[in-house]
Amino acid sequence: MKPFLRSQLERYAQRLGELDFLLSREDIMSDMAQYRTISREHAEVTQIAGRYARYQQREADLAGAREMLADPDMAEMAQEEITGAEAELLQLEDELQRLLLPKDPDDARNAFVEIRAGTGGDESALFAGDLTRMYTRYAANVGWKVEVVSENAAELGGYKEIVLRIEGDHVYGALKFESGGHRVQRVPATETQGRIHTSACTVAVMPEPDEHEAIKLNPADLRIDTFRASGAGGQHINKTDSAVRVVHLPTGIVAECQDGRSQHANKAKALQVLQARIQEKDRSERAAKEAALRKGLIGSGDRSDRIRTYNFPQGRLTDHRINLTLYKLLYVMEGDLADVLQALAHAREAEQLEELELSAV
């Protein structure tokens, strides 16, 4: 194991003792907010310290087995122990490296997924519909809940723009690298001469803000409009001006919600989307500055970054950021995204490990 990793792991063993002491104090036990915060850290530190203790134990086992090799009667058993210990140590080191990587506090949050048609007219809107289906199917596969916050349907099908709220375990962490430009190459249904067209959509994945954060928006900076929801929605929604649009005047950022029948509920949801978009704008600007200093493998998540091509004639999906090519496009479009998302997560972990090692030098 590299010295910089070992020194960091030693700190976790020390921190565990400190946290055990804190959790035994009556003043902390009586403060539920503080107790929950410390308990969460205790669970994380316990996991890392426990795996490191196992690593140290297997190191000791390996050293003992190597000493036993000198005894002819014990050599065969010692060699078996050496082989097993070396394999487990490699596995444990890989696991510990991943556990040490800095965690994005937003990863555990629910997410808003915004899909917007770009170049390509009607075909782009149809592709936006296909991407919506892809993410919705994937969410269903992993047990997440999806609801439509707002939608602007296109005349021939699909969407000019749609915003989904996806609720579940670790949604933002799993989907955050989907942000960027998605390009499709295929023969559109409207094409009579069989020519392949190229069109594009943009996807933005934003963590859902804490439910208390929306109230931090200054009411003086907001313009709130109500309007009649468009499209099919039942008799009630067509008779009431329940849809809400919120404009953040300093930035010009707009959010709307027309999903619910209650104007109050739609306003609350629109404010959440607005807050998420404002935070995403800040995050994108920071990421752009960081990208100017170093070339990130995954990219900044900016809408202008072309991240992926869906080539239907070849049945091929290519993620340009990590040079990933899969010839299972139809499966992916039906929600089989696990291989893509896992490859992106591993690429980011490799990046973080490199950064961690450089910071320790």
Side-chain angles (χ1 to χ4, degrees):
M1 181 181 286
K2 294 177 180 178
F4 88 94
L5 282 174
R6 196 178 291 274
S7 65
Q8 293 216 357
L9 290 165
E10 296 288 354
R11 290 190 204 126
Y12 277 87
Q14 180 183 345
R15 179 61 177 160
L16 185 59
E18 295 169 358
L19 292 169
D20 284 335
F21 169 72
L22 289 172
L23 288 174
S24 69
R25 283 172 41 176
E26 288 188 13
D27 58 329
I28 288 176
M29 291 174 70
S30 62
D31 183 342
M32 284 309 297
Q34 195 174 12
Y35 183 79
R36 279 195 298 268
T37 300
I38 295 173
S39 293
R40 277 196 297 268
E41 185 186 354
H42 185 273
E44 292 176 6
V45 171
T46 298
Q47 183 185 19
I48 295 172
R51 299 314 285 158
Y52 183 50
R54 174 63 179 173
Y55 183 90
Q56 290 175 307
Q57 178 60 54
R58 295 305 278 153
E59 273 191 320
D61 293 343
L62 179 61
R66 283 174 174 161
E67 288 179 6
M68 286 167 55
L69 275 176
D71 184 344
D73 295 332
M74 305 291 287
E76 186 177 345
M77 186 173 69
Q79 188 57 56
E80 286 181 11
E81 176 64 19
I82 288 170
T83 301
E86 286 178 339
E88 188 176 350
L89 283 168
L90 285 173
Q91 181 184 336
L92 284 166
E93 183 171 352
D94 182 65
E95 187 180 341
L96 286 165
Q97 284 179 343
R98 293 182 193 283
L99 287 171
L100 283 178
L101 295 177
K103 294 174 179 61
D104 185 336
D106 289 331
D107 279 356
R109 292 190 182 279
N110 302 326
F112 293 111
V113 178
E114 175 189 293
I115 303 167
R116 186 178 296 174
T119 55
D122 292 332
E123 168 63 7
S124 178
L126 290 168
F127 182 50
D130 292 337
L131 290 177
T132 301
R133 174 186 169 89
M134 178 181 79
Y135 293 125
T136 302
R137 284 292 183 91
Y138 177 74
N141 291 343
V142 295
W144 295 341
K145 178 184 173 185
V146 179
E147 61 179 307
V148 177
V149 175
S150 66
E151 62 180 284
N152 184 358
E155 291 180 10
L156 296 181
Y159 303 98
K160 295 177 183 177
E161 180 182 280
I162 184 168
V163 178
L164 307 173
R165 177 182 178 270
I166 304 182
E167 177 185 342
D169 181 38
H170 208 72
V171 176
Y172 179 69
L175 295 181
K176 62 184 177 181
F177 298 125
E178 292 299 292
S179 290
H182 295 242
R183 185 178 68 166
V184 62
Q185 295 172 324
R186 65 183 175 188
V187 179
T190 54
E191 169 60 54
T192 58
Q193 298 183 32
R195 291 175 298 186
I196 296 172
H197 289 228
T198 298
S199 55
C201 290
T202 58
V203 174
V205 180
M206 302 165 287
E208 182 180 58
D210 185 276
E211 59 183 359
H212 302 297
E213 288 186 9
I215 60 173
K216 294 180 182 177
L217 293 169
N218 185 349
D221 291 338
L222 305 176
R223 189 182 79 233
I224 300 176
D225 304 319
T226 57
F227 61 99
R228 189 158 296 179
S230 60
Q235 291 182 339
H236 178 89
I237 202 166
N238 288 330
K239 289 182 179 178
T240 60
D241 294 331
S242 62
V244 175
R245 180 182 296 113
V246 185
V247 181
H248 187 242
L249 299 173
T251 61
I253 294 174
V254 180
E256 63 181 53
C257 181
Q258 54 185 286
D259 183 55
R261 294 185 175 186
S262 158
Q263 188 180 110
H264 178 75
N266 281 340
K267 178 183 173 183
K269 203 165 287 184
L271 283 169
Q272 272 203 314
V273 176
L274 183 71
Q275 180 81 5
R277 284 178 171 163
I278 291 169
Q279 290 178 345
E280 180 64 15
K281 179 176 180 290
D282 293 341
R283 188 208 62 77
S284 295
E285 288 172 355
R286 288 196 307 271
K289 289 178 183 176
E290 291 172 9
L293 297 175
R294 63 171 181 81
K295 177 64 176 173
L297 185 65
I298 301 300
S300 65
D302 189 87
R303 291 174 189 271
S304 61
D305 289 347
R306 191 192 76 190
I307 63 167
R308 192 175 298 154
T309 295
Y310 303 74
N311 185 304
F312 277 79
Q314 297 179 15
R316 169 175 57 82
L317 176 143
T318 300
D319 196 292
H320 306 288
R321 296 164 294 178
I322 56 174
N323 295 321
L324 172 72
T325 297
L326 298 174
Y327 287 91
K328 49 181 282 185
L329 181 56
L330 295 182
Y331 291 100
V332 171
M333 299 310 294
E334 288 297 317
D336 186 3
L337 267 173
D339 289 345
V340 181
L341 299 180
Q342 192 175 58
L344 288 163
H346 287 167
R348 178 57 186 145
E349 287 171 357
E351 238 183 8
Q352 287 179 303
L353 271 175
E354 189 177 340
E355 291 165 7
L356 193 64
E357 189 166 358
L358 287 172
S359 68
V361 173

